Amino acid sequence: MISPSPTGLRRSRALAALALAAALAAVPGIALRAAPGSPGTVIDGARAQVRALEAELVRLGDEAAAAAGAHAAAQERVDALRERIRETTAALREARRAHGVAERRLADRLVALYVEEPPTLVEVVLSAGGIAEAADAQASLEAISSADGRIVDSLEAARARLARVRGELLDQQQEADAALHEAEARLARMDGLLRSRRAVLEQAKATLDGLVAQERRRREPPAARQERDAAIDAAGRRVEETVRRRATAEAEPAPATRAPAGIPGAPDQSVLERIAQCESGGDPRAVSASGQYRGKYQFDQGTWEGVGGTGDPAAAPEAEQDRRAAMLYARSGPAPWPVCGYR
């Protein structure tokens, strides 16, 4: 990472370590190890904290997967109940229609039997051809009316049964909707918890890398250390000179910077450019000495893939690196850049 001077670098890393300690203190199950002063003990403690955070993320990932499965099952049950309610409602509507038709038919039969004036004996004989035929016709009409009455009763029973089933399904749907709402809330809580823990883990890894780099630098021969400090100071001066030249060359105020399009919560482009200048001098092909941090924003591979990147970050187009950095900032703020993000 690039900073104006070694002193400023050490100060920024110390502040980042304090911020990490405060963040880790709030994480359940993570106990900060007291450092008696030995750099190796401090680094071992930081490594233990990173491993504990990684283990916690694995556990939270399992719980989030279980929450997602429960949510999917609850959604499937709600969908199935809604489909059954639609089918039952259609069947109940048809039963009511059939019941109404049967009632009207029965009413017509009864009118024919009891409302009309009874025919005289002469009319019966003349119309039916005889008393026996007239009696048979009357009995047939009464039998048909009786059968219609039984059909009406059967349809009424079916209608009542469908109404009862629909009521039970509505009660079940209410319970299923409540279970779905609870599953959605739990899934949202798990997603939020995972995001926050990933941000803490990223900060812990960055702090650990800083501690390791400090210890490596401490063990360097004085000549190599002076050479590297001189290179850092030269890089800082180049950044300052670039900024000065740009400010001098601009005759008019620069237009207002805007956040990258389509990324809610992304910072202004000027914020990302400041971070990139600090991290790599704005070079999209920059690679750290260890090879772990790559590209304009010095992504490590896990963080790069966590925001949707593929392949080598340093090989990606600069526009894609800008977009992935904006997504990371929108998700975690400046924490992934514990030194350059807070300058």
Side-chain angles (χ1 to χ4, degrees):
M1 298 181 186
I2 298 175
S3 63
S5 68
T7 302
L9 178 62
R10 288 192 292 272
R11 184 184 300 112
S12 297
R13 283 176 174 166
L15 292 174
L18 289 175
L20 172 64
L24 289 174
V27 179
I30 303 299
L32 291 175
R33 179 180 300 179
S38 168
T41 303
V42 174
I43 292 174
D44 289 343
R47 286 197 179 106
Q49 290 159 4
V50 168
R51 286 195 294 270
L53 282 168
E54 289 174 339
E56 185 187 17
L57 276 176
V58 171
R59 177 181 60 80
L60 290 176
D62 293 340
E63 292 182 8
H71 176 266
Q75 184 65 63
E76 183 178 357
R77 175 167 171 74
V78 167
D79 292 342
L81 283 170
R82 287 174 179 167
E83 180 61 26
R84 287 188 61 192
I85 288 172
R86 281 194 293 268
E87 294 173 353
T88 305
T89 300
L92 180 58
R93 188 182 301 113
E94 176 61 23
R96 286 171 177 165
R97 187 196 65 78
H99 181 262
V101 170
E103 282 186 329
R104 288 192 296 274
R105 183 176 299 166
L106 177 60
D108 293 341
R109 304 285 193 203
L110 293 175
V111 167
L113 283 173
Y114 302 110
V115 174
E116 295 180 359
E117 290 292 333
T120 63
L121 180 60
V122 174
E123 290 173 340
V124 170
V125 173
L126 291 177
S127 62
I131 294 176
E133 289 80 355
D136 291 341
Q138 183 71 9
S140 297
L141 187 59
E142 291 177 352
I144 292 172
S145 298
S146 177
D148 286 343
R150 289 192 297 274
I151 291 174
V152 169
D153 292 341
S154 175
L155 289 173
E156 173 62 23
R159 186 180 66 82
R161 180 179 59 80
L162 286 172
R164 184 177 65 257
V165 170
R166 184 174 182 275
E168 293 172 355
L169 288 173
L170 289 173
D171 291 340
Q172 293 177 20
Q173 182 189 358
Q174 186 175 5
E175 295 175 358
D177 286 340
L180 177 60
H181 179 72
E182 181 179 352
E184 287 174 345
R186 181 168 181 264
L187 184 58
R189 288 195 301 271
M190 292 304 305
D191 286 343
L193 188 58
L194 275 172
R195 284 194 297 270
S196 67
R197 292 300 186 268
R198 287 193 185 106
V200 173
L201 177 59
E202 289 169 359
Q203 188 172 355
K205 287 181 176 179
T207 302
L208 174 60
D209 292 339
L211 292 172
V212 171
Q214 279 184 334
E215 177 63 12
R216 186 182 298 116
R217 182 172 176 269
R218 187 181 68 82
R219 296 181 179 182
E220 285 178 347
R225 187 184 313 168
Q226 291 175 359
E227 181 181 354
R228 192 166 64 85
D229 288 346
I232 292 175
D233 289 340
R237 287 193 296 271
R238 286 197 300 272
V239 171
E240 292 175 356
E241 179 62 20
T242 300
V243 173
R244 186 189 63 77
R245 285 200 305 269
R246 287 180 180 175
T248 303
E250 291 175 352
E252 297 181 357
T257 57
R258 295 176 298 175
I263 304 177
D268 290 343
Q269 188 63 35
S270 61
V271 175
L272 296 178
E273 288 298 329
R274 175 177 55 77
I275 293 174
Q277 284 294 330
C278 176
E279 291 285 350
S280 67
D283 182 7
R285 303 292 174 251
V287 178
S288 68
S290 66
Q292 181 177 0
Y293 301 102
R294 311 179 72 81
K296 186 176 179 180
Y297 298 93
Q298 293 293 276
F299 282 96
D300 64 31
Q301 195 65 32
T303 304
W304 173 254
E305 293 173 359
V307 291
T310 57
D312 183 0
E318 184 176 4
E320 182 182 1
Q321 296 185 40
D322 291 340
R323 181 169 180 79
R324 301 301 175 192
M327 294 169 66
L328 180 59
Y329 196 105
R331 185 182 70 184
S332 303
W337 300 277
V339 175
C340 298
Y342 294 94
R343 292 186 56 190

